[in-house]
Amino acid sequence: MTSNAAVSSQLWRPDADQRRPPLISGEVYRPDILAVIERSIDALRPELRSLSDKIQAHPELKFEEHYAHEEYTRFMETQGFEVQRHYLLDTAWIATYTHGNDNSGDGKTLPVLGVNSEMDALPGIGHACGHNLIGIAGAAIACATKTAMETLDIDGKVVLLGTPGEEGGSGKVRLWEKGAYEGLDVCLMCHPAPGPPHGASLSGSLAVIQRQVDYTGHTAHAGLSPWEGQNALDAAVLAYTNIGLLRQQIKPTHRVHGVFGGQDWAPNIIPDQATMHWYVRAPTTKEAFETAARVKNCFTAAASATGCTMNISYESVRNELVQNKALGEEFTDIFRKRYGDIDYEWGIAGASTDFGNVSYLMPGLHPGFSIPTVPGGGNHTREFTCAAATDVAHETCYNVSKALAHVGMRVLTDEVFLARVKAAFEEDKRNRANPELMFEERYAHDVYTDFMGSQGWVVQKHYLLETAWVATYTHGQGGRVLGVNSEMDALPGIGHACGHNLIGIAGVAVACAAKAAMEKFNIDGKVILLGTPAEEGGFGKVRLWDKGAYEGMDVCLMCHPAPGPPYSISLSSCLALVRLQVDYTGKTAHAGLSPWEGKNALDAAVLAYTSLGLLRQQIKTTHRSHGVFGGEDWAPNVIPDNATMKWFVRAPLTKEVYETADRVKACFHAAAAATGTNVAFTSESMSNELVQNKALGDELADVVLKRYGTIDYEWGIAGASTDFGNITYLMPSLHPGFAIPTVPGGGNHTREFTAAVATDVAHEACYTVSKALAHVGMRVITDEAFSAKVKLAFEEDKKSRGF
């Protein structure tokens, strides 16, 4: 274990003689660019220091950065940038410089470098996170980049965003949602922190989930009749205590911390309200959600114990910081050759930032840089406010700004390097994928519901099932109701190998596009988007149907990726499915000493498996029978007394699948009879074949053929099954497949398909089918005659299948 003294000796202290570590030798990329950058920032030092001092002297809280807004925009205008004040948010701003012509004769667009400046301070302690330095660093990087482009006649564009509300307001997330980062190829910024002398850090940061929890009780006289009250302060104290006890069980890399308070509290009144603000932090977003779920149980338990009601009135998510590998390597190269050393553990490793969300969504780099601090004087202390105002802190800020400006210029001048940056970003996305198995889709549940809430939908979390959700939008009075489905679950071991990441966002896209059309054209109606868990074997949609989730919908739409012809959309059906779980029970015995005393359940499973293999010769070629088996506590010297088989039977029609399932069951019974074991069917479920509503399908085919591609009736998920088949039996529905590029042997339920559904081309295909489905849905809402045709087609389907 590292002692406190050892840690202290590593850190840069104001009164210590801690010289810059030796630099490494070697050439840097384009030294002519670096020379211009260094001269530019050195020349700006007096103005940058004056700007920083002004910001330091006028600390402003999140979204109140009016003084900083004016000072920065005025400064950037004097430097020749095109400035837009009050950009998308009241105290945000943007400064842009372009050199050269976009879309010039060669058809290429200019590369775009993004930079961020932060401005807000902390309550009571001012710029205790060094945002005065972060702000001028952004200005220095942008100005140096502009000078290099002008001096060396380099085409490109630099965009400096003034981002408010980092301290708990997630300002960058709000700006991202409003489109502020559109068109940027990369984004850069930096942050001061304690650390080794003259060092810069490429550590990450913690993901954080921020929640506001409101308890509501009932007032009463605290002395005369306290039993008439429900004490919201008790609920808050109990939740606080619960979380304190929970800390023993959470990982040491996780953090849970918060405060609480209330209004109009008095010692002789039972408080009827209390508000808690909590942060849950962890190294990854997925882990943060897992711990946040346990913390939420503490809130709920406190409400239950005190008889109060509990409401989570605010929730936001900040992702962990993902340092782009290619950008980080380039920054390391220049920094170690010119300015100091690099570490991967200091910086803001234990804190969080809304730039983490940006780094999830585009290539980003956010190095920390060391400044001298006193013991116990790290970020968010009064001592750090003083540290961020020193000459040494400003010198270090200028150095890291030079290195970042040089990295930015490589982005603008080196196409191969930019391609590497983008490839590293895609690799990061694949590495942090969050596939979740059926009924465990908690991360997906929270991400989807947060997004739909941000788009103005009425969202109900944990709707009828723990990981299901519903988002509703109504325009006007009356009108028809369009239903849409999003799926979320992944497959064991191979992630989103059925493309539910695409199915999920397609549902979102269809619903949001329909909402936009209703608003723009003042069309009455309603859209319901259902987040449906557990398609992969859990029959989530069937469970939701049984609980009434589809009541009131006129139609329901969704789609599914699959191999297929280029740019095609498929209106094929799929196979009906009967799913069985079969348990054999026997009797243990010593397998060497007295095996005749046993009844071997494994023998039964193997015999059934063999019988089913032989049966395949006699079933139709369009039918499928497949499964696996296993057991518990098996040992080679013990006759196994248990075995469980999980078996799927598929056929083109529900009637046929039941016929084949009966023959399959006979194999299970025969194996039990032959081995003297008992057999029990402990689970049986069924999904119908997919019935594509003819009127909806014809409308989809019309818009696809005229706008987007081709239609087929044989690809899609024709050989698979889906619980949406049950929905198509019960209401008018459409479930087209859409083709994405796949490698040979890389269809659904393969690792190769997991990679295929993450590609840009797959997402473009997803957006295309979403547009077509949204158009079909809007015809349902707007065209009464068409809606009647859809219902008639559904009734005809029912008659034809004897339903």
Side-chain angles (χ1 to χ4, degrees):
M1 179 180 289
T2 305
S3 69
N4 289 335
V7 169
S8 183
S9 70
Q10 297 174 34
L11 295 177
W12 200 358
R13 298 305 188 196
D15 54 355
D17 181 18
Q18 294 169 303
R19 298 179 182 180
R20 186 174 70 180
L23 302 177
I24 64 171
S25 60
E27 285 296 312
V28 299
Y29 173 78
R30 289 289 299 268
D32 57 330
I33 292 177
L34 180 60
V36 174
I37 287 169
E38 290 183 329
R39 286 197 302 271
S40 171
I41 291 179
D42 286 342
L44 282 172
R45 284 182 185 208
E47 294 169 84
L48 292 169
R49 179 58 186 267
S50 174
L51 182 58
S52 172
D53 288 345
K54 290 176 184 177
I55 301 303
Q56 255 269 353
H58 293 85
E60 298 166 300
L61 302 186
K62 62 184 179 184
F63 302 120
E64 297 176 6
E65 310 95 333
H66 303 291
Y67 177 85
H69 174 280
E70 289 308 310
E71 289 296 325
Y72 279 113
T73 54
R74 188 182 300 118
F75 176 80
M76 296 309 293
E77 282 176 335
T78 66
Q79 300 302 312
F81 280 75
E82 181 183 333
V83 173
Q84 188 174 341
R85 290 172 163 83
H86 312 296
Y87 179 64
L88 302 176
L89 298 172
D90 185 44
T91 54
W93 50 272
I94 185 171
T96 307
Y97 172 76
T98 305
H99 191 84
N101 295 317
D102 219 350
N103 288 318
S104 55
D106 59 6
K108 293 181 180 177
T109 58
L110 294 176
V112 184
L113 170 65
V115 189
N116 282 178
S117 283
E118 294 177 356
M119 301 173 284
D120 57 326
L122 288 155
I125 53 176
H127 277 292
C129 212
H131 290 196
N132 59 308
L133 298 177
I134 297 172
I136 66 164
I141 295 163
C143 290
T145 304
K146 173 179 177 288
T147 302
M149 292 160 71
E150 290 173 330
T151 304
L152 302 172
D153 193 25
I154 295 168
D155 289 349
K157 185 175 181 179
V158 59
V159 176
L160 174 61
L161 275 174
T163 62
E166 190 277 336
E167 296 292 354
S170 298
K172 295 180 192 68
V173 179
R174 300 189 193 195
L175 285 170
W176 178 280
E177 290 170 350
K178 291 176 180 288
Y181 289 82
E182 284 180 11
L184 305 185
D185 287 298
V186 304
C187 196
L188 309 176
M189 66 169 290
C190 56
H191 201 298
H198 305 278
S201 180
L202 288 174
S203 68
S205 72
L206 298 180
V208 62
I209 296 173
Q210 181 181 347
R211 283 176 174 160
Q212 177 175 320
V213 182
D214 298 319
Y215 287 107
T216 305
H218 185 269
T219 58
H221 193 293
L224 186 64
S225 52
W227 52 85
E228 294 180 354
Q230 291 167 323
N231 196 317
L233 175 55
D234 282 0
V237 171
L238 188 55
Y240 195 91
T241 305
N242 291 345
I243 292 168
L245 296 173
L246 175 66
R247 289 190 180 103
Q248 184 187 18
Q249 278 74 52
I250 64 173
K251 294 179 181 178
T253 53
H254 294 205
R255 300 285 182 270
V256 185
H257 48 94
V259 295
F260 63 88
Q263 293 180 345
D264 302 323
W265 286 355
N268 63 336
I269 301 172
I270 299 296
D272 66 346
Q273 54 80 31
T275 296
M276 309 190 81
H277 296 274
W278 282 96
Y279 283 16
V280 180
R281 304 185 198 251
T284 67
T285 302
K286 182 180 179 183
E287 289 179 88
F289 273 113
E290 290 168 352
T291 295
R294 300 177 71 185
V295 170
K296 184 181 177 183
N297 291 338
C298 294
F299 300 143
T300 304
S304 177
T306 57
C308 295
T309 59
M310 185 272 290
N311 178 50
I312 297 177
S313 57
Y314 174 79
E315 180 172 289
S316 69
V317 178
R318 297 195 201 184
N319 303 115
E320 69 275 17
L321 188 58
V322 182
Q323 306 281 20
N324 182 274
K325 185 174 185 291
L327 293 173
E329 288 172 350
E330 183 65 16
F331 177 81
T332 298
D333 183 72
I334 181 65
F335 198 85
R336 294 190 68 203
K337 288 174 180 175
R338 299 289 294 193
Y339 308 115
D341 206 357
I342 293 286
D343 74 76
Y344 297 87
E345 57 180 308
W346 294 96
I348 61 164
S352 306
T353 170
D354 56 0
F355 194 81
N357 298 57
V358 176
S359 73
Y360 253 54
L361 297 164
M362 65 180 295
L365 192 69
H366 180 292
F369 62 94
S370 302
I371 65 173
T373 55
V374 299
N379 298 68
H380 290 211
T381 66
R382 296 181 192 279
E383 293 81 1
F384 197 84
T385 305
C386 298
T390 62
D391 291 343
V392 182
H394 283 79
E395 289 300 316
T396 308
C397 176
Y398 304 146
N399 284 342
V400 78
S401 300
K402 292 171 184 177
L404 281 173
H406 190 256
V407 172
M409 285 305 300
R410 183 152 194 186
V411 168
L412 296 182
T413 57
D414 187 342
E415 288 185 17
V416 175
F417 175 67
L418 180 55
R420 254 179 38 224
V421 168
K422 292 182 177 179
F425 173 69
E426 294 301 325
E427 180 66 20
D428 282 333
K429 280 204 300 185
R430 286 192 289 273
N431 290 340
R432 68 171 180 264
N434 286 288
E436 299 167 299
L437 302 185
M438 60 180 182
F439 298 120
E440 297 177 4
E441 311 94 335
R442 298 177 186 88
Y443 175 81
H445 170 281
D446 289 341
V447 169
Y448 279 116
T449 53
D450 284 348
F451 180 82
M452 295 307 290
S454 75
Q455 299 299 307
W457 293 70
V458 176
V459 175
Q460 189 172 342
K461 299 184 176 186
H462 313 296
Y463 178 64
L464 303 175
L465 299 172
E466 173 64 22
T467 54
W469 51 270
V470 63
T472 306
Y473 171 75
T474 305
H475 191 84
Q477 301 294 323
R480 279 173 287 280
V481 181
L482 170 63
V484 189
N485 281 179
S486 283
E487 293 178 356
M488 301 174 285
D489 58 324
L491 288 155
I494 53 176
H496 277 294
C498 212
H500 290 194
N501 59 311
L502 296 179
I503 298 172
I505 66 165
V508 169
V510 172
C512 288
K515 173 179 178 284
M518 293 161 73
E519 290 173 334
K520 181 174 179 61
F521 298 107
N522 195 27
I523 296 168
D524 289 352
K526 186 175 184 179
V527 183
I528 298 173
L529 174 60
L530 270 179
T532 62
E535 189 277 337
E536 296 293 353
F539 295 89
K541 296 181 191 67
V542 179
R543 299 189 191 199
L544 285 170
W545 176 280
D546 291 342
K547 292 175 180 288
Y550 290 81
E551 285 178 10
M553 295 181 191
D554 288 291
V555 303
C556 195
L557 309 176
M558 67 170 292
C559 58
H560 202 298
Y567 306 102
S568 69
I569 291 173
S570 179
L571 287 172
S572 70
S573 181
C574 73
L575 299 180
L577 166 71
V578 170
R579 179 188 180 208
L580 303 169
Q581 178 170 318
V582 184
D583 294 326
Y584 287 106
T585 306
K587 185 178 183 301
T588 59
H590 193 293
L593 185 66
S594 53
W596 51 86
E597 293 179 355
K599 295 179 181 177
N600 197 316
L602 175 55
D603 282 0
V606 171
L607 188 55
Y609 195 89
T610 305
S611 301
L612 292 161
L614 296 173
L615 176 65
R616 290 191 181 103
Q617 184 185 20
Q618 278 73 52
I619 64 175
K620 294 179 180 178
T621 55
T622 53
H623 293 205
R624 300 285 182 270
S625 171
H626 50 93
V628 294
F629 63 88
E632 292 183 351
D633 301 322
W634 287 355
N637 63 336
V638 179
I639 299 295
D641 67 346
N642 73 87
T644 295
M645 306 191 75
K646 295 180 179 180
W647 211 260
F648 282 17
V649 183
R650 305 183 198 252
L653 298 173
T654 299
K655 180 183 177 183
E656 292 181 73
V657 81
Y658 275 123
E659 291 168 353
T660 296
D662 285 342
R663 300 180 70 183
V664 166
K665 287 179 182 178
C667 293
F668 294 133
H669 285 295
T675 57
T677 56
N678 296 318
V679 62
F681 294 88
T682 53
S683 173
E684 180 171 342
S685 50
M686 187 275 300
S687 61
N688 302 111
E689 71 275 15
L690 197 56
V691 181
Q692 307 280 21
N693 182 275
K694 186 176 185 304
L696 293 173
D698 289 347
E699 181 65 16
L700 181 82
D702 183 68
V703 69
V704 167
L705 291 170
K706 289 175 178 174
R707 300 281 297 192
Y708 303 119
T710 61
I711 290 285
D712 79 76
Y713 296 88
E714 57 179 307
W715 292 91
I717 60 164
S721 307
T722 171
D723 57 358
F724 195 77
N726 298 56
I727 306 303
T728 68
Y729 255 56
L730 297 162
M731 66 182 294
S733 306
L734 194 67
H735 180 292
F738 60 96
I740 66 171
T742 55
V743 299
N748 299 66
H749 291 210
T750 66
R751 296 183 191 280
E752 292 81 1
F753 198 79
T754 305
V757 298
T759 61
D760 290 343
V761 182
H763 283 79
E764 289 301 321
C766 176
Y767 305 148
T768 296
V769 74
S770 300
K771 292 171 186 176
L773 278 174
H775 189 262
V776 172
M778 286 308 298
R779 181 149 193 193
V780 170
I781 288 175
T782 58
D783 187 338
E784 193 171 337
F786 176 70
S787 183
K789 228 163 82 180
V790 168
K791 291 178 180 176
L792 179 61
F794 174 68
E795 294 302 325
E796 289 174 350
D797 280 332
K798 282 205 296 184
K799 290 175 188 172
S800 68
R801 62 177 178 259
F803 183 75

